[in-house]
Amino acid sequence: GAASGGARVSLTPTVADRLNLAASYGAGNFEVPHGEVQEEAGQDQRESLRQGSANGSWQRSWSPALGSQVAGYYRRIASDLRDTPAAVPLFAESTRRHERLGILASLAWQHDRHTVKAGLETAQLALNENFTFAVTDEDDAEEAGISEGAIAYTLDDPFAFNDRVSRTQWSAYLQDSLR
């Protein structure tokens, strides 16, 4: 099954200010499709997906010629693949997480024929992934066209990947448009 939802609020506390807040969430649980061989073996693979986000912004009109915006955001995406010992010809499990947290700011100014815009953004991005697979039946794996390299990974000695990384990213811009 799947479910999702969200909420948004916009406020105008003064003529010059506008505040926006939003949040959303989504989730899904799925059975992974398989063939006759997997059905006969009793394989029951499941996938779970989750995502959530929240953001807020403040826009301000300082004068008829000057405006600004500041915003922050957070987003998280997660997925899990779970297998059973009855998996044929391949056992696979995976966990993946992706998180992003950031802030951005911009300024716009009009003067004579010029419209000057400037802004910056910084974000922290974190990725985490775990993945394991193993061949459970060599004959079925060969018949399914799985490579010799992959067939070498068994339940006693599976392929396993486990890594994470976190990086800060940033950008800035400055532009002038002439009218």
Side-chain angles (χ1 to χ4, degrees), residues 145-170:
I146 295 175
S147 72
E148 286 183 30
I151 290 174
Y153 294 103
T154 64
L155 289 172
D156 292 330
D157 186 22
F159 173 87
F161 175 83
N162 182 6
D163 205 359
R164 64 182 53 194
V165 65
S166 183
R167 299 267 195 280
T168 300
Q169 302 172 327
W170 66 271

Side-chain angles (χ1 to χ4, degrees), residues 25-161:
Y25 181 77
N29 295 312
F30 308 97
E31 291 188 25
V32 177
H34 51 265
E36 288 180 25
V37 172
Q38 291 83 12
E39 184 73 28
E40 290 172 9
Q43 183 171 339
D44 186 21
Q45 226 176 18
R46 307 270 175 157
E47 186 172 16
S48 168
L49 304 172
R50 303 283 183 268
Q51 67 177 358
S53 66
N55 62 70
S57 68
W58 171 47
Q59 296 173 326
R60 170 94 173 148
S61 179
W62 298 94
S63 73
L66 181 64
S68 65
Q69 178 174 349
V70 177
Y73 57 88
Y74 173 75
R75 181 165 188 174
R76 183 173 197 264
I77 300 170
S79 67
D80 292 297
L81 174 67
R82 294 291 165 244
D83 214 336
T84 60
V88 174
L90 189 70
F91 171 89
E93 287 195 332
S94 171
T95 301
R96 179 178 291 165
R97 305 283 182 267
H98 171 169
E99 290 183 280
R100 187 177 186 101
L101 175 66
I103 188 166
L104 53 100
S106 63
L107 193 63
W109 176 61
Q110 290 183 338
H111 181 70
D112 293 332
R113 294 180 48 220
H114 298 272
T115 300
V116 178
K117 297 179 182 179
L120 57 94
E121 178 178 9
T122 185
Q124 181 72 29
L125 177 64
L127 302 170
N128 183 356
E129 184 165 1
N130 303 306
F131 177 71
T132 302
F133 81 85
V135 170
T136 58
D137 186 305
E138 189 174 333
D139 294 333
D140 285 342
E142 287 176 2
E143 192 175 304
I146 295 175
S147 72
E148 286 183 30
I151 290 174
Y153 294 103
T154 64
L155 289 172
D156 292 330
D157 186 22
F159 173 87
F161 175 83

